[in-house]
């Protein structure tokens, strides 16, 4: 695996909140806020806006990557408790037709996203991520397989 995107996101605007389901409580600090940061090259921004959905049984994340001179890349993730597997799972769908589904586990420093697959047509891209929580922000680090 190779690093793709270390990214620092800072809290901004508040959005209405609901009480979360027990399994989603490790993600509660995200809800009701938009978090925005720059890619390491400084040429793109990445914004995530989180809000509780379905009476706290799900957490919705609207994700927008902005690049000057290009259309926005937009995706939505719905995090929920999978009671059969007894883990927090997610479904991600984006405006280019791609999607992924995976899981989230709380870790000592934040949130861990074990390996999952992004699929768009014939392209299948394995990836994983780690979000490290700080006092007033979080750092997102993603890795993906590229050419073996």
């Amino acid at each position: 695996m190779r690093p793709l995107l270390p990214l620092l996101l800072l809290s901004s605007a508040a959005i209405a909140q609901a009480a979360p389901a027990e399994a989603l409580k490790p993600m509660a600090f995200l809800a009701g806020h938009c978090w925005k940061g720059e890619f390491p090259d400084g040429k793109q921004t990445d914004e995530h806006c989180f809000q509780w959905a379905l009476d706290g049984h799900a957490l919705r994340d609207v994700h927008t990557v902005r690049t000057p001179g290009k259309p926005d890349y937009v995706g939505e993730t719905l995090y929920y408790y999978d009671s059969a597997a007894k883990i927090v799972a997610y479904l991600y769908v984006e405006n280019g037709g791609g999607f992924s589904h995976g899981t989230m586990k709380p870790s000592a420093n934040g949130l861990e996203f074990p390996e999952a697959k992004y699929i768009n047509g014939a392209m299948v891209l394995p990836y994983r991520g780690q979000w490290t929580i700080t006092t007033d922000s979080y750092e997102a680090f993603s890795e993906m397989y590229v050419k073996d």
Side-chain angles (χ1 to χ4, degrees), residues 96-135:
F99 70 93
S100 63
H101 51 85
T103 60
M104 182 285 298
K105 297 189 281 189
S107 67
N109 298 325
L111 308 172
E112 178 185 333
F113 300 87
E115 187 174 313
K117 291 180 177 139
Y118 168 80
I119 300 168
N120 193 338
M123 182 180 74
V124 177
L125 183 65
Y127 69 95
R128 66 182 177 190
Q130 178 73 39
W131 294 1
T132 303
I133 301 169
T134 64
T135 305

mmCIF file of all heavy atoms in Angstrom, residues 96-135:
data_model
loop_
_atom_site.group_PDB
_atom_site.id
_atom_site.type_symbol
_atom_site.label_atom_id
_atom_site.label_comp_id
_atom_site.label_asym_id
_atom_site.label_seq_id
_atom_site.Cartn_x
_atom_site.Cartn_y
_atom_site.Cartn_z
ATOM 1 N N GLY A 96 -19.249 10.489 -9.939
ATOM 2 C CA GLY A 96 -18.671 9.893 -11.136
ATOM 3 C C GLY A 96 -19.157 8.473 -11.367
ATOM 4 O O GLY A 96 -18.692 7.793 -12.277
ATOM 5 N N GLY A 97 -20.085 7.996 -10.523
ATOM 6 C CA GLY A 97 -20.639 6.659 -10.685
ATOM 7 C C GLY A 97 -19.964 5.594 -9.836
ATOM 8 O O GLY A 97 -20.404 4.459 -9.797
ATOM 9 N N GLY A 98 -18.908 5.951 -9.134
ATOM 10 C CA GLY A 98 -18.219 4.976 -8.297
ATOM 11 C C GLY A 98 -18.888 4.809 -6.946
ATOM 12 O O GLY A 98 -19.697 5.632 -6.519
ATOM 13 N N PHE A 99 -18.527 3.713 -6.278
ATOM 14 C CA PHE A 99 -19.072 3.449 -4.949
ATOM 15 C C PHE A 99 -18.108 2.556 -4.179
ATOM 16 O O PHE A 99 -17.205 1.944 -4.753
ATOM 17 C CB PHE A 99 -20.453 2.779 -5.032
ATOM 18 C CG PHE A 99 -20.389 1.361 -5.530
ATOM 19 C CD1 PHE A 99 -20.308 0.297 -4.631
ATOM 20 C CD2 PHE A 99 -20.377 1.082 -6.888
ATOM 21 C CE1 PHE A 99 -20.230 -1.006 -5.086
ATOM 22 C CE2 PHE A 99 -20.298 -0.223 -7.347
ATOM 23 C CZ PHE A 99 -20.226 -1.271 -6.443
ATOM 24 N N SER A 100 -18.310 2.492 -2.901
ATOM 25 C CA SER A 100 -17.598 1.528 -2.064
ATOM 26 C C SER A 100 -18.433 1.261 -0.827
ATOM 27 O O SER A 100 -19.334 2.029 -0.485
ATOM 28 C CB SER A 100 -16.203 2.029 -1.679
ATOM 29 O OG SER A 100 -16.272 3.196 -0.912
ATOM 30 N N HIS A 101 -18.150 0.159 -0.195
ATOM 31 C CA HIS A 101 -18.746 -0.123 1.100
ATOM 32 C C HIS A 101 -17.673 -0.789 1.936
ATOM 33 O O HIS A 101 -16.802 -1.494 1.430
ATOM 34 C CB HIS A 101 -20.023 -0.955 1.009
ATOM 35 C CG HIS A 101 -19.910 -2.188 0.194
ATOM 36 N ND1 HIS A 101 -19.438 -3.382 0.697
ATOM 37 C CD2 HIS A 101 -20.187 -2.405 -1.112
ATOM 38 C CE1 HIS A 101 -19.446 -4.280 -0.265
ATOM 39 N NE2 HIS A 101 -19.889 -3.719 -1.373
ATOM 40 N N GLY A 102 -17.686 -0.480 3.214
ATOM 41 C CA GLY A 102 -16.660 -0.997 4.100
ATOM 42 C C GLY A 102 -17.094 -0.866 5.541
ATOM 43 O O GLY A 102 -18.282 -0.711 5.830
ATOM 44 N N THR A 103 -16.108 -0.870 6.432
ATOM 45 C CA THR A 103 -16.398 -0.810 7.859
ATOM 46 C C THR A 103 -15.519 0.232 8.534
ATOM 47 O O THR A 103 -14.509 0.675 7.984
ATOM 48 C CB THR A 103 -16.170 -2.183 8.526
ATOM 49 O OG1 THR A 103 -14.803 -2.561 8.351
ATOM 50 C CG2 THR A 103 -17.091 -3.237 7.944
ATOM 51 N N MET A 104 -15.901 0.590 9.755
ATOM 52 C CA MET A 104 -15.153 1.522 10.583
ATOM 53 C C MET A 104 -15.029 0.916 11.965
ATOM 54 O O MET A 104 -15.987 0.359 12.488
ATOM 55 C CB MET A 104 -15.880 2.871 10.671
ATOM 56 C CG MET A 104 -15.166 3.953 11.473
ATOM 57 S SD MET A 104 -15.179 3.813 13.288
ATOM 58 C CE MET A 104 -16.894 3.904 13.677
ATOM 59 N N LYS A 105 -13.819 1.003 12.533
ATOM 60 C CA LYS A 105 -13.590 0.547 13.903
ATOM 61 C C LYS A 105 -12.937 1.678 14.681
ATOM 62 O O LYS A 105 -12.014 2.322 14.168
ATOM 63 C CB LYS A 105 -12.649 -0.664 13.924
ATOM 64 C CG LYS A 105 -13.199 -1.880 13.225
ATOM 65 C CD LYS A 105 -12.331 -3.103 13.473
ATOM 66 C CE LYS A 105 -11.117 -3.083 12.590
ATOM 67 N NZ LYS A 105 -10.338 -4.331 12.626
ATOM 68 N N PRO A 106 -13.405 1.941 15.902
ATOM 69 C CA PRO A 106 -12.696 2.929 16.730
ATOM 70 C C PRO A 106 -11.286 2.410 17.012
ATOM 71 O O PRO A 106 -11.074 1.202 17.151
ATOM 72 C CB PRO A 106 -13.514 2.987 18.016
ATOM 73 C CG PRO A 106 -14.796 2.303 17.722
ATOM 74 C CD PRO A 106 -14.565 1.382 16.577
ATOM 75 N N SER A 107 -10.318 3.323 17.085
ATOM 76 C CA SER A 107 -8.950 2.950 17.438
ATOM 77 C C SER A 107 -8.525 3.810 18.628
ATOM 78 O O SER A 107 -9.245 4.711 19.051
ATOM 79 C CB SER A 107 -8.009 3.165 16.255
ATOM 80 O OG SER A 107 -7.878 4.539 15.958
ATOM 81 N N ALA A 108 -7.355 3.567 19.141
ATOM 82 C CA ALA A 108 -6.858 4.309 20.306
ATOM 83 C C ALA A 108 -6.777 5.808 20.031
ATOM 84 O O ALA A 108 -7.009 6.614 20.924
ATOM 85 C CB ALA A 108 -5.489 3.776 20.719
ATOM 86 N N ASN A 109 -6.477 6.196 18.774
ATOM 87 C CA ASN A 109 -6.295 7.616 18.439
ATOM 88 C C ASN A 109 -7.372 8.194 17.538
ATOM 89 O O ASN A 109 -7.257 9.326 17.113
ATOM 90 C CB ASN A 109 -4.930 7.814 17.759
ATOM 91 C CG ASN A 109 -3.794 7.427 18.659
ATOM 92 O OD1 ASN A 109 -3.852 7.622 19.864
ATOM 93 N ND2 ASN A 109 -2.756 6.858 18.078
ATOM 94 N N GLY A 110 -8.385 7.400 17.193
ATOM 95 C CA GLY A 110 -9.398 7.926 16.283
ATOM 96 C C GLY A 110 -10.260 6.850 15.675
ATOM 97 O O GLY A 110 -10.871 6.051 16.377
ATOM 98 N N LEU A 111 -10.280 6.804 14.351
ATOM 99 C CA LEU A 111 -11.135 5.884 13.614
ATOM 100 C C LEU A 111 -10.311 5.145 12.568
ATOM 101 O O LEU A 111 -9.514 5.759 11.863
ATOM 102 C CB LEU A 111 -12.268 6.654 12.912
ATOM 103 C CG LEU A 111 -13.098 7.600 13.787
ATOM 104 C CD1 LEU A 111 -14.045 8.419 12.926
ATOM 105 C CD2 LEU A 111 -13.855 6.823 14.843
ATOM 106 N N GLU A 112 -10.521 3.853 12.465
ATOM 107 C CA GLU A 112 -9.806 3.030 11.490
ATOM 108 C C GLU A 112 -10.791 2.513 10.458
ATOM 109 O O GLU A 112 -11.877 2.049 10.799
ATOM 110 C CB GLU A 112 -9.137 1.853 12.201
ATOM 111 C CG GLU A 112 -8.405 0.920 11.272
ATOM 112 C CD GLU A 112 -7.853 -0.285 12.000
ATOM 113 O OE1 GLU A 112 -7.566 -0.189 13.216
ATOM 114 O OE2 GLU A 112 -7.728 -1.336 11.361
ATOM 115 N N PHE A 113 -10.406 2.604 9.189
ATOM 116 C CA PHE A 113 -11.214 2.111 8.088
ATOM 117 C C PHE A 113 -10.424 0.997 7.409
ATOM 118 O O PHE A 113 -9.546 1.257 6.590
ATOM 119 C CB PHE A 113 -11.531 3.251 7.110
ATOM 120 C CG PHE A 113 -12.289 4.378 7.760
ATOM 121 C CD1 PHE A 113 -11.621 5.409 8.403
ATOM 122 C CD2 PHE A 113 -13.672 4.387 7.746
ATOM 123 C CE1 PHE A 113 -12.313 6.434 9.024
ATOM 124 C CE2 PHE A 113 -14.376 5.412 8.357
ATOM 125 C CZ PHE A 113 -13.695 6.432 9.009
ATOM 126 N N PRO A 114 -10.691 -0.277 7.776
ATOM 127 C CA PRO A 114 -9.951 -1.400 7.190
ATOM 128 C C PRO A 114 -10.129 -1.447 5.672
ATOM 129 O O PRO A 114 -11.017 -0.802 5.112
ATOM 130 C CB PRO A 114 -10.580 -2.623 7.846
ATOM 131 C CG PRO A 114 -11.201 -2.105 9.103
ATOM 132 C CD PRO A 114 -11.656 -0.716 8.777
ATOM 133 N N GLU A 115 -9.315 -2.258 5.041
ATOM 134 C CA GLU A 115 -9.324 -2.328 3.585
ATOM 135 C C GLU A 115 -10.723 -2.551 3.031
ATOM 136 O O GLU A 115 -11.483 -3.379 3.516
ATOM 137 C CB GLU A 115 -8.400 -3.444 3.090
ATOM 138 C CG GLU A 115 -8.267 -3.436 1.587
ATOM 139 C CD GLU A 115 -7.250 -4.425 1.077
ATOM 140 O OE1 GLU A 115 -6.135 -4.460 1.634
ATOM 141 O OE2 GLU A 115 -7.584 -5.151 0.125
ATOM 142 N N ALA A 116 -11.043 -1.771 2.011
ATOM 143 C CA ALA A 116 -12.302 -1.859 1.278
ATOM 144 C C ALA A 116 -11.964 -1.676 -0.197
ATOM 145 O O ALA A 116 -10.805 -1.448 -0.539
ATOM 146 C CB ALA A 116 -13.279 -0.777 1.751
ATOM 147 N N LYS A 117 -12.970 -1.731 -1.056
ATOM 148 C CA LYS A 117 -12.736 -1.576 -2.486
ATOM 149 C C LYS A 117 -13.631 -0.483 -3.045
ATOM 150 O O LYS A 117 -14.841 -0.503 -2.866
ATOM 151 C CB LYS A 117 -12.990 -2.884 -3.225
ATOM 152 C CG LYS A 117 -11.963 -3.923 -2.888
ATOM 153 C CD LYS A 117 -12.214 -5.206 -3.622
ATOM 154 C CE LYS A 117 -11.081 -6.146 -3.264
ATOM 155 N NZ LYS A 117 -11.472 -7.477 -3.044
ATOM 156 N N TYR A 118 -12.998 0.465 -3.756
ATOM 157 C CA TYR A 118 -13.725 1.464 -4.529
ATOM 158 C C TYR A 118 -13.931 0.842 -5.907
ATOM 159 O O TYR A 118 -12.993 0.312 -6.506
ATOM 160 C CB TYR A 118 -12.919 2.760 -4.638
ATOM 161 C CG TYR A 118 -13.460 3.720 -5.643
ATOM 162 C CD1 TYR A 118 -14.551 4.528 -5.337
ATOM 163 C CD2 TYR A 118 -12.908 3.813 -6.917
ATOM 164 C CE1 TYR A 118 -15.064 5.413 -6.275
ATOM 165 C CE2 TYR A 118 -13.416 4.693 -7.856
ATOM 166 C CZ TYR A 118 -14.487 5.481 -7.531
ATOM 167 O OH TYR A 118 -15.004 6.351 -8.455
ATOM 168 N N ILE A 119 -15.170 0.887 -6.405
ATOM 169 C CA ILE A 119 -15.498 0.273 -7.690
ATOM 170 C C ILE A 119 -16.150 1.320 -8.584
ATOM 171 O O ILE A 119 -17.075 2.024 -8.169
ATOM 172 C CB ILE A 119 -16.456 -0.927 -7.490
ATOM 173 C CG1 ILE A 119 -15.782 -1.966 -6.597
ATOM 174 C CG2 ILE A 119 -16.881 -1.518 -8.834
ATOM 175 C CD1 ILE A 119 -16.709 -3.044 -6.090
ATOM 176 N N ASN A 120 -15.654 1.397 -9.818
ATOM 177 C CA ASN A 120 -16.250 2.287 -10.812
ATOM 178 C C ASN A 120 -16.107 1.581 -12.161
ATOM 179 O O ASN A 120 -15.023 1.572 -12.743
ATOM 180 C CB ASN A 120 -15.576 3.651 -10.828
ATOM 181 C CG ASN A 120 -16.372 4.667 -11.622
ATOM 182 O OD1 ASN A 120 -17.182 4.307 -12.469
ATOM 183 N ND2 ASN A 120 -16.137 5.935 -11.347
ATOM 184 N N GLY A 121 -17.181 0.956 -12.608
ATOM 185 C CA GLY A 121 -17.122 0.163 -13.837
ATOM 186 C C GLY A 121 -16.192 -1.025 -13.627
ATOM 187 O O GLY A 121 -16.306 -1.759 -12.654
ATOM 188 N N ALA A 122 -15.227 -1.185 -14.526
ATOM 189 C CA ALA A 122 -14.279 -2.298 -14.434
ATOM 190 C C ALA A 122 -13.134 -2.009 -13.458
ATOM 191 O O ALA A 122 -12.372 -2.899 -13.111
ATOM 192 C CB ALA A 122 -13.703 -2.613 -15.810
ATOM 193 N N MET A 123 -13.015 -0.761 -13.019
ATOM 194 C CA MET A 123 -11.929 -0.415 -12.108
ATOM 195 C C MET A 123 -12.282 -0.815 -10.674
ATOM 196 O O MET A 123 -13.341 -0.475 -10.160
ATOM 197 C CB MET A 123 -11.645 1.085 -12.127
ATOM 198 C CG MET A 123 -10.488 1.453 -11.222
ATOM 199 S SD MET A 123 -10.109 3.206 -11.200
ATOM 200 C CE MET A 123 -11.459 3.847 -10.230
ATOM 201 N N VAL A 124 -11.371 -1.533 -10.037
ATOM 202 C CA VAL A 124 -11.512 -1.909 -8.633
ATOM 203 C C VAL A 124 -10.239 -1.469 -7.934
ATOM 204 O O VAL A 124 -9.142 -1.883 -8.301
ATOM 205 C CB VAL A 124 -11.714 -3.430 -8.471
ATOM 206 C CG1 VAL A 124 -11.781 -3.803 -6.995
ATOM 207 C CG2 VAL A 124 -12.968 -3.880 -9.205
ATOM 208 N N LEU A 125 -10.380 -0.592 -6.942
ATOM 209 C CA LEU A 125 -9.230 0.003 -6.272
ATOM 210 C C LEU A 125 -9.293 -0.283 -4.777
ATOM 211 O O LEU A 125 -10.108 0.309 -4.066
ATOM 212 C CB LEU A 125 -9.223 1.512 -6.517
ATOM 213 C CG LEU A 125 -8.062 2.290 -5.951
ATOM 214 C CD1 LEU A 125 -6.751 1.894 -6.616
ATOM 215 C CD2 LEU A 125 -8.309 3.780 -6.145
ATOM 216 N N PRO A 126 -8.465 -1.181 -4.248
ATOM 217 C CA PRO A 126 -8.434 -1.418 -2.801
ATOM 218 C C PRO A 126 -7.814 -0.226 -2.069
ATOM 219 O O PRO A 126 -6.846 0.370 -2.549
ATOM 220 C CB PRO A 126 -7.537 -2.659 -2.654
ATOM 221 C CG PRO A 126 -7.494 -3.273 -4.014
ATOM 222 C CD PRO A 126 -7.621 -2.125 -4.966
ATOM 223 N N TYR A 127 -8.377 0.133 -0.923
ATOM 224 C CA TYR A 127 -7.875 1.256 -0.129
ATOM 225 C C TYR A 127 -8.165 1.011 1.338
ATOM 226 O O TYR A 127 -8.952 0.142 1.701
ATOM 227 C CB TYR A 127 -8.500 2.580 -0.589
ATOM 228 C CG TYR A 127 -9.979 2.669 -0.258
ATOM 229 C CD1 TYR A 127 -10.403 3.293 0.907
ATOM 230 C CD2 TYR A 127 -10.940 2.121 -1.095
ATOM 231 C CE1 TYR A 127 -11.756 3.359 1.235
ATOM 232 C CE2 TYR A 127 -12.281 2.181 -0.780
ATOM 233 C CZ TYR A 127 -12.683 2.798 0.385
ATOM 234 O OH TYR A 127 -14.011 2.857 0.706
ATOM 235 N N ARG A 128 -7.530 1.802 2.189
ATOM 236 C CA ARG A 128 -7.806 1.791 3.628
ATOM 237 C C ARG A 128 -7.492 3.174 4.169
ATOM 238 O O ARG A 128 -6.849 3.984 3.496
ATOM 239 C CB ARG A 128 -6.991 0.717 4.341
ATOM 240 C CG ARG A 128 -5.497 0.973 4.323
ATOM 241 C CD ARG A 128 -4.744 -0.142 5.002
ATOM 242 N NE ARG A 128 -3.313 0.101 4.908
ATOM 243 C CZ ARG A 128 -2.401 -0.771 5.230
ATOM 244 N NH1 ARG A 128 -2.758 -1.966 5.670
ATOM 245 N NH2 ARG A 128 -1.126 -0.487 5.127
ATOM 246 N N GLY A 129 -7.952 3.455 5.394
ATOM 247 C CA GLY A 129 -7.730 4.786 5.944
ATOM 248 C C GLY A 129 -7.660 4.790 7.456
ATOM 249 O O GLY A 129 -8.063 3.834 8.133
ATOM 250 N N GLN A 130 -7.150 5.892 7.972
ATOM 251 C CA GLN A 130 -7.046 6.128 9.419
ATOM 252 C C GLN A 130 -7.315 7.609 9.652
ATOM 253 O O GLN A 130 -6.729 8.452 8.985
ATOM 254 C CB GLN A 130 -5.634 5.770 9.915
ATOM 255 C CG GLN A 130 -5.406 6.024 11.387
ATOM 256 C CD GLN A 130 -6.118 5.004 12.266
ATOM 257 O OE1 GLN A 130 -6.177 3.831 11.956
ATOM 258 N NE2 GLN A 130 -6.663 5.455 13.367
ATOM 259 N N TRP A 131 -8.228 7.911 10.565
ATOM 260 C CA TRP A 131 -8.477 9.296 10.964
ATOM 261 C C TRP A 131 -7.992 9.443 12.394
ATOM 262 O O TRP A 131 -8.476 8.757 13.301
ATOM 263 C CB TRP A 131 -9.963 9.644 10.887
ATOM 264 C CG TRP A 131 -10.530 9.645 9.493
ATOM 265 C CD1 TRP A 131 -9.884 9.357 8.322
ATOM 266 C CD2 TRP A 131 -11.875 9.932 9.136
ATOM 267 N NE1 TRP A 131 -10.744 9.446 7.261
ATOM 268 C CE2 TRP A 131 -11.978 9.798 7.729
ATOM 269 C CE3 TRP A 131 -13.005 10.275 9.859
ATOM 270 C CZ2 TRP A 131 -13.165 10.010 7.038
ATOM 271 C CZ3 TRP A 131 -14.188 10.488 9.175
ATOM 272 C CH2 TRP A 131 -14.259 10.371 7.779
ATOM 273 N N THR A 132 -7.051 10.344 12.606
ATOM 274 C CA THR A 132 -6.491 10.589 13.930
ATOM 275 C C THR A 132 -7.121 11.851 14.494
ATOM 276 O O THR A 132 -7.085 12.911 13.860
ATOM 277 C CB THR A 132 -4.960 10.742 13.857
ATOM 278 O OG1 THR A 132 -4.425 9.555 13.256
ATOM 279 C CG2 THR A 132 -4.364 10.937 15.232
ATOM 280 N N ILE A 133 -7.684 11.737 15.687
ATOM 281 C CA ILE A 133 -8.378 12.862 16.322
ATOM 282 C C ILE A 133 -7.386 13.687 17.131
ATOM 283 O O ILE A 133 -6.575 13.145 17.875
ATOM 284 C CB ILE A 133 -9.506 12.353 17.243
ATOM 285 C CG1 ILE A 133 -10.504 11.517 16.436
ATOM 286 C CG2 ILE A 133 -10.204 13.522 17.946
ATOM 287 C CD1 ILE A 133 -11.487 10.754 17.293
ATOM 288 N N THR A 134 -7.462 15.031 16.978
ATOM 289 C CA THR A 134 -6.692 15.951 17.801
ATOM 290 C C THR A 134 -7.681 16.787 18.607
ATOM 291 O O THR A 134 -8.874 16.519 18.595
ATOM 292 C CB THR A 134 -5.781 16.848 16.937
ATOM 293 O OG1 THR A 134 -6.604 17.673 16.114
ATOM 294 C CG2 THR A 134 -4.859 16.009 16.050
ATOM 295 N N THR A 135 -7.210 17.816 19.268
ATOM 296 C CA THR A 135 -8.070 18.630 20.120
ATOM 297 C C THR A 135 -9.237 19.252 19.359
ATOM 298 O O THR A 135 -10.379 19.188 19.793
ATOM 299 C CB THR A 135 -7.260 19.751 20.795
ATOM 300 O OG1 THR A 135 -6.173 19.148 21.484
ATOM 301 C CG2 THR A 135 -8.117 20.540 21.764
#
